[in-house]
Amino acid sequence: MAQATKTIDARGSFCPGPLMELIKATRAAEVGDVLEVLSNDAGSAKDIPEWAKKMGHTVLYVEEAEGYWKIAIKKER
Amino acid sequence: MAMRIVVLGGGTAGTTVANRLARALRPEIRRGAVEVTVVTDRDRHWYQPGYLFVVFNERPLEDFVRPERALLLPDVGMVVDAITRIDLERKQLISPHRHYPYDVLVIATGSYPDFQSVPGLAEVTYNFYTPEGAERLRDRLTTWTGGRIMIVQDVPHKCPAAPVEVTLMLDDYFRRRRLRDRVEIVYTYPIGRVHAAEPIADWAKQQFDARGIRYETFFNMEAVDPKRQVVLTMDGGEHPFDLLISIPAHKGAGVILNSGIGDESGFIPTDRHTLKMIGQDDVYVLGDATNLPISKAGSTAHYQAEVLVKNLVDRVRGLPETHLYNGKVACFLENSLGDASFITFDYDRPPKPAATSELLHWFKGMYNDLYWLTARGLM
Ligand SMILES: Cc1cc2nc3c(=O)[nH]c(=O)nc-3n(C[C@H](O)[C@H](O)[C@H](O)COP(=O)(O)OP(=O)(O)OC[C@H]3O[C@@H](n4cnc5c(N)ncnc54)[C@H](O)[C@@H]3O)c2cc1C
């Protein structure tokens, strides 16, 4: 599994939410960086891959851990 | 020697903390065992949610500003100075004029819209996130004869609901002026729905559909061409506008970036429960200045202040600090110029908007004035 360049702990975030934390981090990251988000919002497992695909980033994994999700993307552009 | 508690920033968070501390630690302060001082870079205090009412010419800007000294209790010291560096090692704040030593530091320096974050944006945009911006937008709207108004936004920004509110209020404003049929309102959002929080998105979408407000999702600004009046998005799209209202990505205060104690955007790594700066026992952070993944809102600052003050009082009295912040946030959502909804949530409970009502709008209107009591630490 790819090593995350940065992990964003967005558990407990409902508004604006984990995807918004990821968008913020993506802007600051370099192309090729792997960004991992921790989220306890079930919606993230759908929202984050949907956004990443639309923006042309690669989704590396969507995993369920104990009571939360771990989702990683690679910044492509 | 007195224990010096220094609060950096005299906005919502800093003012509330300082006043609550002064009230709770009155015996210690009067005895000279504790000093509470606010260091802030301006002598006036703005109630920022009021800007929305300025834009629609409902209230004048003067209604939302007070002298900071008048809000602080007499037991709180106040210094007006722009701090350029926070020196955690020597435990002091530094300005070009002076050094301010502290024993305990509370950082409450807020967040700011960065209009430079998108090329071309600053040249053409209107905004309602600054006092000058709100007045300028108000004046533009009063002489507006029609065309396309586009609302664009980027994250993070304070008050995540304000862009939806300004959109709904624009609709009502033009209806009341009998100009609605000449105005096209286009709301945009960076992800696949109209707001990140699903319950708010569902509520807002219903309103937009019913009221003929257009919206575009997955709208990620890359640049603005001020001459051609178009927004360029990351997917290669071009979106023309006649009037652009933007809420760009925010940054933490310059002093945070300058001191190298924040993340790349100047937000300070903060423990989500104790509100201590990560790795620092003597530094607390609250309000918009933290890197916590929750709404940057005055209500957040307020609930954090309650917890932080209890812990500081215990600290002063040699007791363990046992109070934890649970992520609580509460927000009004203006649905028009005459009704509103309300949401509350925390780390464990997602938001659920209340049914809109005139009563909630009326309460929000009252809060515009009650705010000054909150800042004084009375509410
Ligand atoms: C249009 C609008 C609508 C809003 N609506 C709502 C709403 O409905 N509900 C809600 O809860 N919130 C709302 N908010 C958000 C709310 O206003 C902020 O989240 C809140 O003010 C944050 O408080 P703060 O103390 O962290 O920051 P601020 O209140 O911004 O205060 C920061 C302070 O730090 C000082 N400072 C900064 N740098 C320095 C330095 N170097 N030296 C000395 N002093 C410094 C500044 O002078 C300022 O006094 C809204 C905001 C806007 C703009």
Side-chain angles (χ1 to χ4, degrees):
Chain A
M1 202 193 300
Q3 185 66 34
T5 318
K6 184 175 180 182
T7 295
I8 305 139
D9 187 353
R11 284 174 290 181
S13 174
F14 292 112
C15 178
L19 174 51
M20 296 324 230
E21 295 298 318
L22 176 65
I23 294 179
K24 176 190 158 199
T26 308
R27 198 182 22 237
E30 306 281 339
V31 171
D33 281 358
V34 172
L35 301 164
E36 181 187 59
V37 192
L38 312 185
S39 168
N40 62 344
D41 181 351
S44 295
K46 174 174 121 292
D47 289 354
I48 293 179
E50 186 192 36
W51 175 83
K53 278 188 201 122
K54 190 92 183 169
M55 293 299 127
H57 305 305
T58 308
V59 180
L60 296 177
Y61 53 85
V62 178
E63 266 177 27
E64 204 171 342
E66 275 164 49
Y68 65 95
W69 279 263
K70 284 198 216 172
I71 303 158
I73 67 154
K74 184 161 151 241
K75 176 167 168 157
E76 301 285 5
R77 47 187 292 261
Chain B
M1 208 170 91
M3 176 181 190
R4 293 159 303 190
I5 304 178
V6 173
V7 179
L8 179 59
T12 302
T15 305
T16 308
V17 163
N19 281 333
R20 282 177 172 256
L21 274 176
R23 206 163 264 122
L25 292 173
R26 192 172 177 164
E28 284 85 352
I29 293 174
R30 299 275 163 98
R31 217 181 331 115
V34 172
E35 275 172 18
V36 178
T37 310
V38 171
V39 179
T40 190
D41 59 3
R42 43 191 139 137
D43 58 5
R44 289 187 300 170
H45 185 117
W46 301 95
Y47 175 60
Q48 300 170 31
Y51 304 162
L52 265 174
F53 301 92
V54 173
V55 167
F56 298 107
N57 206 15
E58 294 286 316
R59 304 263 302 251
L61 190 55
E62 300 81 73
D63 280 7
F64 301 112
V65 62
R66 297 274 190 280
E68 175 68 5
R69 185 62 265 184
L71 291 176
L72 291 172
L73 295 176
D75 280 340
V76 178
M78 176 176 139
V79 176
V80 178
D81 201 353
I83 299 304
T84 45
R85 208 160 72 78
I86 300 169
D87 180 352
L88 297 179
E89 220 151 274
R90 294 204 184 75
K91 299 180 72 167
Q92 57 182 356
L93 305 180
I94 301 170
S95 87
H97 317 283
R98 261 193 68 182
H99 292 192
Y100 304 91
Y102 63 79
D103 297 302
V104 172
L105 176 64
V106 178
I107 303 181
T109 40
S111 68
Y112 305 88
D114 179 12
F115 293 102
Q116 304 300 330
S117 61
V118 172
L121 180 68
E123 283 173 57
V124 274
T125 190
Y126 282 81
N127 86 84
F128 61 101
Y129 265 58
T130 62
E132 316 77 53
E135 284 195 317
R136 206 174 140 250
L137 179 56
R138 175 196 63 198
D139 296 343
R140 185 72 193 90
L141 293 179
T142 43
T143 58
W144 182 254
T145 51
R148 178 183 294 161
I149 302 184
M150 187 177 267
I151 296 105
V152 294
Q153 55 190 309
D154 201 349
V155 285
H157 62 78
K158 56 188 156 193
C159 198
V164 168
E165 291 182 290
V166 84
T167 304
L168 295 171
M169 290 165 90
L170 276 167
D171 167 73
D172 194 25
Y173 171 82
F174 285 116
R175 281 179 202 277
R176 285 172 193 238
R177 292 189 55 204
R178 308 206 176 276
L179 289 170
R180 183 63 180 91
D181 53 348
R182 286 194 240 158
V183 183
E184 188 185 4
I185 303 175
V186 185
Y187 171 92
T188 67
Y189 204 67
I191 69 168
R193 53 176 176 264
V194 299
H195 195 273
E198 220 162 345
I200 300 178
D202 293 344
W203 168 76
K205 182 175 174 301
Q206 215 181 349
Q207 294 297 327
F208 290 172
D209 286 337
R211 290 154 68 168
I213 296 167
R214 269 187 51 204
Y215 45 87
E216 292 193 25
T217 54
F218 288 118
F219 189 102
N220 291 268
M221 251 188 307
E222 192 152 69
V224 175
D225 185 334
K227 285 213 187 68
R228 289 168 52 226
Q229 304 227 105
V230 291
V231 176
L232 311 169
T233 44
M234 286 179 191
D235 55 8
E238 294 202 353
H239 311 264
F241 60 83
D242 296 304
L243 172 62
L244 184 68
I245 302 178
S246 68
I247 304 96
H250 281 38
K251 280 204 165 120
V255 62
I256 306 304
L257 283 163
N258 212 25
S259 309
I261 60 171
D263 64 14
E264 61 283 343
S265 303
F267 296 109
I268 304 170
T270 307
D271 184 285
R272 59 168 65 204
H273 295 297
T274 64
L275 302 175
K276 283 189 184 185
M277 180 176 167
I278 301 287
Q280 301 288 328
D281 190 44
D282 305 320
V283 184
Y284 300 78
V285 193
L286 84 167
D288 291 358
T290 76
N291 75 336
L292 296 178
I294 55 175
S295 304
K296 296 194 182 302
S299 68
T300 308
H302 174 94
Y303 294 121
Q304 289 175 336
E306 287 180 355
V307 173
L308 206 155
V309 165
K310 282 187 184 143
N311 282 336
L312 278 177
V313 170
D314 284 341
R315 181 178 182 135
V316 165
R317 296 183 178 157
L319 299 167
E321 302 172 43
T322 55
H323 298 278
L324 300 179
Y325 174 58
N326 69 354
K328 185 162 182 195
V329 181
C331 284
F332 288 100
L333 300 169
E334 288 286 272
N335 186 44
S336 69
L337 301 175
D339 69 338
S341 175
F342 181 76
I343 48 168
T344 152
F345 49 99
D346 59 36
Y347 289 142
D348 302 310
R349 275 168 291 236
K352 195 167 130 237
T356 59
S357 68
E358 271 179 49
L359 188 71
L360 281 169
H361 167 76
W362 178 79
F363 196 81
K364 167 132 184 168
M366 281 223 322
Y367 194 79
N368 286 341
D369 297 303
L370 287 176
Y371 171 73
W372 305 111
L373 295 181
T374 321
R376 287 190 172 95
L378 284 167
M379 226 179 80

